[in-house]
Amino acid sequence: MMLEDYIRIHAEQCPDKVAVVEGDKQTTYSQLWNMVLKHAERFKAEGLGERQVKIFRTTQTLDFLVDYFAIHIVGAVAMPLEKDIPEERFLEVENRYGRLVMPEGVADILFTTGTTGVSKGVMVSHEAILADAENLIDGQGFSSELAFVISGPLNHIGSLSKVYPVMMLGATLVVLEGMTDMDLFFKAFQLPYQKMATFLVPASIRILLKLWKKELVKYASKIDFIETGAAPMMQSDMQELAETLPLSRLYNTYASTETGIVCTYNFNDGLYLAGCVGKVLKNAEVFTEIDGRISCRGRMVMSGYADEPELSAAVMRDGTVFTSDIGYFDEVGRLHLTGRMDDVINVGGYKVSPSEVEDAAMAIDGVRDCICVAVEHPVMGNALKLVVAMRDGETLDKRKIARFLAGRLERYKVPMVYEQTNEVRRTYNGKLDRKSYRS
């Protein structure tokens, strides 16, 4: 089975069910399937063959979805790139991957965001796509009555993975061109569906809570659930979102392009556990090493990096992906993330996870955003520096913040240096851009 087999089944069994909403246009499963078949014939006529790589730009449109499914129907491999990728870079990727023949069973090559190094092409199999769909259905309660709003880029797993359970169940996708037009975002929730859901990175959730909270409350009764991921979410944001949407399920998910969908945690539980990503999902297995390093295996993990056998072997052995994430399981089997191995800062022989410092600092009144980084120290080699963005009208009080942190962290985890900034640098999907601060 492929994901496209489910689209065909829905086209036969419920042909008039709406599959995709784009603006004012609604496309049924029957119409979608016919479009996919026509595009598949076009690709064949153009010479696209089995296991060949089809490189194309991503758009938040029905046409993108049709092309994506049609590539799979042909037996080829989809490689969606950023919509605004420079032409020179597009040709570079095309020259490298365009003539390759991928291993049997590979459906997609998705590029990682490259925030901690060079972006890599991850091979995702048809089996992994279905396993991810099953994990999301089982862990988050997707249903055939659901309308899922997608506003994030469809060439990354955060948003693309939500296409999987929707198409498997015969639910409805609502595709938007980002969140630059908030009127269009909230207009999507005016559609005549009683159950709606969406995926938002933590930075987008914070913006909603700060600027559009009243509008969000208007649709509280229709929001079945919201999923977040891709970056840590502050406990204060978790609690505020839960108070704003008391009847909605609110999920923090552990996933990556390499591991697939692994764990999920409904933080609308009164505990609002920062860093908690919940229990392991049905198709996944997760292990933690002595040093806390997380490794994953199961049907949803990658098939390796495209055209990178040595790099693949360095992070994947016997079907197990060895991540750079650090974490632990609590007494009830929930996984908690504490940082990344390449983010850990050595301070005088002590190892500090910067995310722990950042979580503590975000509880301080007036702090809007922050990042903990390493700076050179003549004696210890490294010292901790906290770069802080304050709320409007607030000024950084270094002593106040240091005293606050000293009451909540071990002494060696309290930064020695503090700096105020207008904005903390983040990537497009809301992750702290640690790479830019290191360089």
Side-chain angles (χ1 to χ4, degrees):
M1 291 284 285
M2 299 190 304
L3 187 63
E4 289 70 25
D5 290 313
Y6 289 92
I7 300 174
R8 173 182 53 79
I9 291 170
H10 300 315
E12 294 170 352
Q13 297 182 351
C14 48
D16 297 328
K17 177 76 179 289
V18 176
V20 180
V21 178
E22 180 193 351
D24 295 328
K25 180 180 180 182
Q26 297 190 352
T27 303
T28 67
Y29 271 94
S30 176
Q31 292 168 332
L32 175 62
W33 182 240
N34 286 331
M35 293 170 70
V36 169
L37 292 178
K38 287 181 181 178
H39 282 232
E41 288 302 317
R42 189 193 78 207
F43 286 140
K44 287 181 181 178
E46 293 172 352
L48 183 64
E50 293 186 5
R51 297 164 59 190
Q52 291 182 339
V53 181
K54 176 63 176 177
I55 303 165
F56 61 122
R57 283 183 166 84
T58 304
T59 57
Q60 303 295 110
T61 62
L62 171 65
D63 282 343
F64 168 81
L65 292 168
V66 171
D67 281 348
Y68 175 74
F69 298 138
I71 291 166
H72 293 164
I73 292 293
V74 173
V77 177
M79 181 183 273
L81 304 181
E82 302 283 351
K83 177 182 178 181
D84 56 356
I85 185 173
E87 184 64 22
E88 183 178 342
R89 172 59 178 157
F90 185 94
L91 293 175
E92 179 185 323
V93 173
E94 197 170 50
N95 289 335
R96 176 173 181 183
Y97 297 97
R99 296 185 179 88
L100 296 179
V101 176
M102 289 294 109
E104 188 75 33
V106 173
D108 300 340
I109 299 174
L110 304 178
F111 279 95
T112 61
T113 55
T115 55
T116 56
V118 177
S119 185
K120 302 174 285 290
V122 177
M123 295 186 292
V124 179
S125 68
H126 288 287
E127 182 181 19
I129 287 174
L130 296 185
D132 281 334
E134 292 171 2
N135 278 355
L136 287 167
I137 292 167
D138 187 65
Q140 297 181 353
F142 277 74
S143 68
S144 59
E145 297 81 25
L146 187 72
F148 198 98
V149 179
I150 289 183
S151 58
L154 285 165
N155 57 310
H156 292 297
I157 191 171
S159 292
L160 183 60
S161 63
K162 308 312 172 291
V163 174
Y164 309 158
V166 171
M167 291 293 106
M168 179 177 277
L169 290 172
T172 301
L173 281 175
V174 182
V175 289
L176 300 176
E177 186 65 53
M179 292 181 66
T180 54
D181 189 332
M182 294 306 297
D183 289 335
L184 288 179
F185 177 77
F186 285 111
K187 184 180 178 181
F189 288 88
Q190 296 173 15
L191 290 166
Y193 295 94
Q194 295 307 307
K195 286 186 176 183
M196 302 195 71
T198 191
F199 171 84
L200 299 169
V201 296
S204 295
I205 290 175
R206 187 174 299 167
I207 291 171
L208 280 177
L209 291 173
K210 183 177 181 181
L211 302 176
W212 304 92
K213 190 172 181 178
K214 289 182 180 179
E215 286 76 7
L216 192 61
V217 170
K218 290 179 183 177
Y219 304 101
S221 63
K222 297 182 69 173
I223 298 176
D224 191 32
F225 66 89
I226 292 177
E227 184 196 26
T228 190
M233 187 172 179
M234 301 302 175
Q235 187 178 47
S236 57
D237 289 345
M238 286 182 169
Q239 184 169 351
E240 186 175 358
L241 185 62
E243 291 169 351
T244 304
L245 302 173
L247 302 179
S248 304
R249 302 189 304 282
L250 306 172
Y251 293 105
N252 187 22
T253 297
Y254 179 50
S256 71
T257 319
E258 289 92 341
T259 64
I261 312 296
V262 178
C263 304
T264 197
Y265 161 58
N266 179 11
F267 59 83
N268 199 352
D269 61 353
L271 299 176
Y272 324 117
L273 300 173
C276 180
V277 290
K279 294 186 177 181
V280 180
L281 295 168
K282 63 181 293 184
N283 291 315
E285 294 180 69
V286 179
F287 312 90
T288 55
E289 309 295 332
I290 295 176
D291 58 1
R293 183 177 181 178
I294 296 170
S295 55
C296 308
R297 71 171 176 233
R299 292 168 50 215
M300 71 294 149
V301 302
M302 70 173 181
S303 302
Y305 295 115
D307 199 34
E308 296 273 10
E310 293 183 1
L311 185 59
S312 300
V315 300
M316 188 176 188
R317 294 186 295 278
D318 299 325
T320 299
V321 174
F322 298 88
T323 77
S324 294
D325 296 315
I326 303 171
Y328 66 92
F329 284 100
D330 64 19
E331 65 280 357
V332 296
R334 294 174 300 209
L335 182 65
H336 295 250
L337 302 181
T338 57
R340 290 180 60 86
M341 296 188 73
D342 43 12
D343 291 339
V344 169
I345 301 171
N346 191 317
V347 180
Y350 292 98
K351 290 182 171 58
V352 179
S353 172
S355 61
E356 184 180 0
V357 181
E358 292 151 3
D359 286 343
M362 286 300 296
I364 301 172
D365 288 340
V367 173
R368 176 165 52 86
D369 204 358
C370 66
I371 185 170
C372 181
V373 299
V375 292
E376 292 185 5
H377 189 277
V379 176
M380 296 185 294
N382 282 326
L384 299 180
K385 175 181 177 180
L386 190 67
V387 181
V388 182
M390 302 297 293
R391 297 188 187 278
D392 293 342
E394 300 281 349
T395 303
L396 176 66
D397 186 332
K398 301 177 182 179
R399 291 185 178 180
K400 177 183 175 181
I401 291 182
R403 286 196 299 269
F404 182 93
L405 295 177
R408 287 159 176 77
L409 300 171
E410 294 91 336
R411 180 180 296 179
Y412 66 90
K413 295 179 182 177
V414 178
M416 295 180 62
V417 182
Y418 298 85
E419 176 186 311
Q420 185 169 352
T421 185
N422 292 328
E423 292 291 338
V424 172
R425 294 194 291 274
R426 289 181 175 269
T427 64
Y428 78 93
N429 60 1
K431 292 182 181 179
L432 289 168
D433 194 354
R434 300 190 189 278
K435 180 182 175 184
S436 72
Y437 283 94
R438 283 197 289 267
S439 58

